[in-house]
Tab-separated table of all heavy atoms in Angstrom:
chain	number	residue	atom	x	y	z
A	1	ILE	N	-1.940	3.666	-7.410
A	1	ILE	CA	-1.234	4.547	-6.452
A	1	ILE	C	0.096	4.945	-6.999
A	1	ILE	O	0.534	6.094	-6.976
A	1	ILE	CB	-1.098	3.866	-5.058
A	1	ILE	CG1	-2.584	3.665	-4.395
A	1	ILE	CG2	-0.186	4.674	-4.192
A	1	ILE	CD1	-2.521	2.730	-3.091
A	2	ALA	N	0.847	3.994	-7.431
A	2	ALA	CA	2.211	4.256	-8.015
A	2	ALA	C	2.234	5.203	-9.234
A	2	ALA	O	3.206	5.875	-9.541
A	2	ALA	CB	2.976	2.972	-8.246
A	3	SER	N	1.171	5.219	-9.888
A	3	SER	CA	1.044	6.023	-11.116
A	3	SER	C	0.556	7.313	-10.914
A	3	SER	O	0.491	8.219	-11.880
A	3	SER	CB	0.077	5.240	-12.125
A	3	SER	OG	-1.302	5.442	-11.624
A	4	GLN	N	0.446	7.861	-9.622
A	4	GLN	CA	0.127	9.152	-9.323
A	4	GLN	C	1.237	10.164	-9.952
A	4	GLN	O	2.454	10.033	-9.968
A	4	GLN	CB	-0.015	9.446	-7.876
A	4	GLN	CG	-1.221	8.753	-7.316
A	4	GLN	CD	-2.540	9.277	-7.847
A	4	GLN	OE1	-2.819	10.342	-7.811
A	4	GLN	NE2	-3.249	8.223	-8.471
A	5	THR	N	0.687	11.337	-10.441
A	5	THR	CA	1.630	12.367	-11.083
A	5	THR	C	2.452	13.108	-10.069
A	5	THR	O	3.471	13.726	-10.446
A	5	THR	CB	0.830	13.323	-11.977
A	5	THR	OG1	-0.355	13.866	-11.108
A	5	THR	CG2	0.142	12.575	-13.118
A	6	LEU	N	1.959	13.252	-8.841
A	6	LEU	CA	2.692	13.840	-7.758
A	6	LEU	C	3.550	12.854	-7.158
A	6	LEU	O	3.026	11.703	-6.662
A	6	LEU	CB	1.828	14.578	-6.783
A	6	LEU	CG	2.528	15.226	-5.629
A	6	LEU	CD1	3.126	16.566	-6.104
A	6	LEU	CD2	1.667	15.549	-4.467
A	7	PRO	N	4.838	13.005	-6.920
A	7	PRO	CA	5.590	11.887	-6.214
A	7	PRO	C	5.148	11.677	-4.939
A	7	PRO	O	5.034	12.667	-4.084
A	7	PRO	CB	7.067	12.521	-6.322
A	7	PRO	CG	7.070	13.497	-7.406
A	7	PRO	CD	5.673	13.996	-7.443
A	8	LEU	N	5.077	10.455	-4.395
A	8	LEU	CA	4.510	10.169	-3.200
A	8	LEU	C	5.749	9.971	-2.184
A	8	LEU	O	6.713	9.384	-2.607
A	8	LEU	CB	3.614	8.806	-3.256
A	8	LEU	CG	2.411	8.930	-4.049
A	8	LEU	CD1	1.867	7.549	-4.252
A	8	LEU	CD2	1.469	10.013	-3.561
A	9	TYR	N	5.588	10.321	-0.868
A	9	TYR	CA	6.593	10.155	0.121
A	9	TYR	C	6.786	8.761	0.527
A	9	TYR	O	7.834	8.319	0.756
A	9	TYR	CB	6.098	11.134	1.276
A	9	TYR	CG	7.299	11.372	2.232
A	9	TYR	CD1	8.475	11.979	1.694
A	9	TYR	CD2	7.133	11.142	3.535
A	9	TYR	CE1	9.542	12.240	2.623
A	9	TYR	CE2	8.148	11.457	4.406
A	9	TYR	CZ	9.437	12.052	3.902
A	9	TYR	OH	10.463	12.282	4.835
A	10	GLU	N	5.670	8.066	0.726
A	10	GLU	CA	5.680	6.660	1.264
A	10	GLU	C	4.342	6.034	0.951
A	10	GLU	O	3.327	6.604	0.950
A	10	GLU	CB	6.044	6.578	2.729
A	10	GLU	CG	5.119	7.298	3.557
A	10	GLU	CD	5.516	7.362	4.993
A	10	GLU	OE1	6.317	6.699	5.398
A	10	GLU	OE2	4.957	8.173	5.837
A	11	ILE	N	4.469	4.655	0.893
A	11	ILE	CA	3.219	3.847	0.813
A	11	ILE	C	3.306	2.783	1.977
A	11	ILE	O	4.309	2.195	2.045
A	11	ILE	CB	3.118	3.076	-0.545
A	11	ILE	CG1	3.164	4.129	-1.662
A	11	ILE	CG2	1.806	2.194	-0.566
A	11	ILE	CD1	3.215	3.553	-3.019
A	12	ILE	N	2.238	2.793	2.655
A	12	ILE	CA	2.228	1.819	3.818
A	12	ILE	C	1.101	0.897	3.612
A	12	ILE	O	-0.100	1.340	3.643
A	12	ILE	CB	2.039	2.499	5.278
A	12	ILE	CG1	3.264	3.477	5.480
A	12	ILE	CG2	2.069	1.462	6.385
A	12	ILE	CD1	3.019	4.488	6.551
A	13	VAL	N	1.304	-0.455	3.430
A	13	VAL	CA	0.200	-1.361	3.214
A	13	VAL	C	0.063	-2.067	4.524
A	13	VAL	O	1.016	-2.731	5.162
A	13	VAL	CB	0.528	-2.412	2.142
A	13	VAL	CG1	-0.529	-3.501	1.953
A	13	VAL	CG2	0.803	-1.790	0.802
A	14	LEU	N	-1.259	-2.104	5.104
A	14	LEU	CA	-1.606	-2.719	6.335
A	14	LEU	C	-2.583	-4.041	6.022
A	14	LEU	O	-3.614	-3.847	5.644
A	14	LEU	CB	-2.296	-1.756	7.280
A	14	LEU	CG	-1.596	-0.435	7.647
A	14	LEU	CD1	-2.401	0.315	8.532
A	14	LEU	CD2	-0.241	-0.804	8.208
A	15	ASP	N	-2.073	-5.265	6.291
A	15	ASP	CA	-2.825	-6.379	6.191
A	15	ASP	C	-3.336	-6.799	7.528
A	15	ASP	O	-2.701	-6.955	8.385
A	15	ASP	CB	-2.145	-7.497	5.497
A	15	ASP	CG	-3.135	-8.637	5.138
A	15	ASP	OD1	-3.771	-8.462	4.217
A	15	ASP	OD2	-3.092	-9.583	5.888
A	16	ASP	N	-4.737	-6.885	7.544
A	16	ASP	CA	-5.442	-7.230	8.767
A	16	ASP	C	-5.749	-8.685	8.855
A	16	ASP	O	-6.931	-9.028	9.191
A	16	ASP	CB	-6.656	-6.324	8.989
A	16	ASP	CG	-7.189	-6.080	10.312
A	16	ASP	OD1	-6.466	-6.370	11.242
A	16	ASP	OD2	-8.316	-5.401	10.524
A	17	CYS	N	-4.720	-9.587	8.919
A	17	CYS	CA	-4.946	-11.068	9.016
A	17	CYS	C	-5.784	-11.555	7.893
A	17	CYS	O	-6.754	-12.166	8.240
A	17	CYS	CB	-5.445	-11.410	10.238
A	17	CYS	SG	-4.182	-11.188	11.682
A	18	SER	N	-5.530	-11.299	6.710
A	18	SER	CA	-6.228	-11.745	5.492
A	18	SER	C	-6.119	-13.330	5.436
A	18	SER	O	-5.034	-13.862	5.841
A	18	SER	CB	-5.857	-11.121	4.212
A	18	SER	OG	-6.012	-9.799	4.107
A	19	THR	N	-7.147	-13.828	5.030
A	19	THR	CA	-7.186	-15.321	4.858
A	19	THR	C	-7.313	-15.839	3.428
A	19	THR	O	-7.498	-17.043	3.149
A	19	THR	CB	-8.452	-15.903	5.603
A	19	THR	OG1	-9.605	-15.308	5.033
A	19	THR	CG2	-8.346	-15.564	7.094
A	20	ASP	N	-7.019	-14.901	2.558
A	20	ASP	CA	-7.126	-15.181	1.101
A	20	ASP	C	-5.849	-15.233	0.293
A	20	ASP	O	-5.759	-15.194	-0.945
A	20	ASP	CB	-8.135	-14.232	0.370
A	20	ASP	CG	-7.541	-12.841	0.332
A	20	ASP	OD1	-6.667	-12.475	1.070
A	20	ASP	OD2	-8.010	-12.029	-0.505
A	21	GLY	N	-4.756	-15.253	1.111
A	21	GLY	CA	-3.351	-15.246	0.402
A	21	GLY	C	-2.964	-13.869	0.004
A	21	GLY	O	-2.058	-13.688	-0.834
A	22	SER	N	-3.649	-12.734	0.598
A	22	SER	CA	-3.244	-11.461	0.346
A	22	SER	C	-1.765	-11.174	0.575
A	22	SER	O	-0.999	-10.555	-0.200
A	22	SER	CB	-3.969	-10.577	1.215
A	22	SER	OG	-5.329	-10.327	0.693
A	23	MET	N	-1.142	-11.668	1.530
A	23	MET	CA	0.203	-11.448	2.034
A	23	MET	C	1.209	-11.985	0.888
A	23	MET	O	2.178	-11.200	0.636
A	23	MET	CB	0.667	-11.827	3.446
A	23	MET	CG	0.112	-11.019	4.557
A	23	MET	SD	0.928	-9.303	4.393
A	23	MET	CE	2.760	-9.648	4.518
A	24	ALA	N	0.858	-13.165	0.426
A	24	ALA	CA	1.787	-13.674	-0.602
A	24	ALA	C	1.780	-12.736	-1.794
A	24	ALA	O	2.758	-12.526	-2.480
A	24	ALA	CB	1.412	-15.053	-0.839
């Protein structure tokens, strides 16, 4: 996502109560 050639306005990551250590 960050490597896109068009500058992005914002990135919003939504974690839906992952149980695999995603948040860390």
Side-chain angles (χ1 to χ4, degrees):
I1 291 169
S3 66
Q4 292 299 304
T5 55
L6 182 74
L8 301 171
Y9 196 55
E10 60 187 345
I11 302 172
I12 302 169
V13 179
L14 304 178
D15 188 77
D16 205 8
C17 287
S18 294
T19 58
D20 67 342
S22 281
M23 278 302 299

